[in-house]
Amino acid sequence: MKLSIYHKTIEDISVFDEIMSLYAQEADDVQILSENRRSYRGLEQLLLEIDAATTVVVVSDLSSLGLTTEDILNRLDWFISHNVCLFICKYSTTYEYGMMQLMNKAVLTTLLQSMLNTHKNIVEIPRNKRNNSGRNKIAFPDGWGELYEEWENKKITSKEFIKQSGLKKATFYNILTEYKAMLKEQSDYLKKYRCGKRSG
């Protein structure tokens, strides 16, 4: 089983701790996909390439699925109709019964019905209420991940990276530093939960 964590850059990554504690050791693979609050392209790409039989998608809240209630309803319906397991940190019932698709589907269907029956207070759009945040996360420009990978693999120069990202030089280097720190945070986070899983 593969865990695909969809992380919004405004969220503290520790929001996934409980699910990671429960399932990281038994998962064959864990990936973290981070994306800006208002962007959902990475999520769309993930869902296009997903193997429903072997992948569990993890999000912090329903608001991670879309900007509007309609977007959230459509995505939730997509998970249900495609039989893709979705763990939502805020709703422990989505994951406390294990990676059982039937139970997960029943809980997601209940959430969807609740939203459709005008109980829309379930959906809380994030307002960046990070209690202990020392600094705001920088929003990465569209296509940043792909450009970074090309730059990292020396397919493009720093000058080309700056030009294609559309940033001023100083802003570019600030964002680059933030992005490297985020990648390290993700790597350290995965190591924290995967260190015991080694084949001897």
Side-chain angles (χ1 to χ4, degrees):
M1 187 63 71
K2 177 179 182 178
L3 279 180
S4 289
I5 296 174
Y6 181 63
H7 167 244
K8 289 298 189 181
T9 55
I10 60 164
E11 300 168 331
D12 185 337
I13 201 162
S14 66
V15 72
F16 301 102
D17 282 354
E18 187 172 350
I19 290 173
M20 288 294 283
S21 295
L22 291 170
Y23 299 108
Q25 292 296 320
E26 67 181 85
D28 299 318
D29 185 27
V30 179
Q31 76 171 34
I32 300 175
L33 169 64
S34 294
E35 193 163 38
N36 294 332
R37 183 177 65 131
R38 300 183 67 81
S39 177
Y40 294 88
R41 273 191 250 152
L43 178 61
E44 289 166 11
Q45 191 63 38
L46 171 67
L47 299 183
L48 280 175
E49 300 167 356
I50 204 164
D51 178 354
T54 62
T55 305
V56 175
V57 176
V58 183
V59 297
S60 67
D61 195 357
L62 285 170
S63 60
S64 299
L65 299 177
L67 275 177
T68 66
T69 302
E70 184 180 354
D71 292 341
I72 293 166
L73 288 168
N74 288 334
R75 271 270 157 69
L76 203 49
D77 184 58
W78 184 93
F79 277 96
I80 295 164
S81 63
H82 286 80
N83 294 313
V84 175
C85 204
L86 174 66
F87 288 172
I88 306 169
C89 296
K90 186 172 181 180
Y91 303 102
S92 60
T93 52
T94 61
Y95 59 85
E96 66 187 7
Y97 301 106
M99 296 182 184
M100 296 178 1
Q101 175 53 37
L102 288 176
M103 184 57 85
N104 182 260
K105 187 174 184 176
V107 173
L108 296 180
T109 302
T110 301
L111 282 171
L112 179 65
Q113 288 303 314
S114 293
M115 290 175 67
L116 289 172
N117 291 330
T118 68
H119 298 296
K120 294 179 182 171
N121 60 341
I122 287 177
V123 181
E124 294 177 16
I125 302 300
R127 290 174 180 82
N128 204 2
K129 293 190 262 182
R130 294 169 61 217
N131 293 337
N132 58 356
S133 61
R135 64 184 199 280
N136 290 328
K137 296 274 186 181
I138 298 172
F140 303 109
D142 289 342
W144 178 269
E146 295 83 13
L147 288 171
Y148 179 83
E149 200 171 305
E150 287 181 25
W151 175 76
E152 186 83 341
N153 294 323
K154 302 194 184 324
K155 292 181 180 174
I156 61 171
T157 64
S158 295
K159 188 174 182 178
E160 290 170 305
F161 192 177
I162 293 169
K163 184 177 179 185
Q164 289 185 43
S165 66
L167 299 170
K168 295 188 179 194
K169 194 173 182 179
T171 306
F172 168 81
Y173 283 109
N174 286 338
I175 289 179
L176 184 63
T177 301
E178 182 76 24
Y179 191 72
K180 285 180 178 180
M182 185 188 76
L183 291 179
K184 182 175 179 350
E185 177 186 45
Q186 289 178 0
S187 174
D188 292 346
Y189 189 72
L190 289 175
K191 284 178 192 169
K192 173 180 168 183
Y193 288 97
R194 307 285 289 174
C195 59
K197 186 174 182 176
R198 296 190 181 194
S199 52

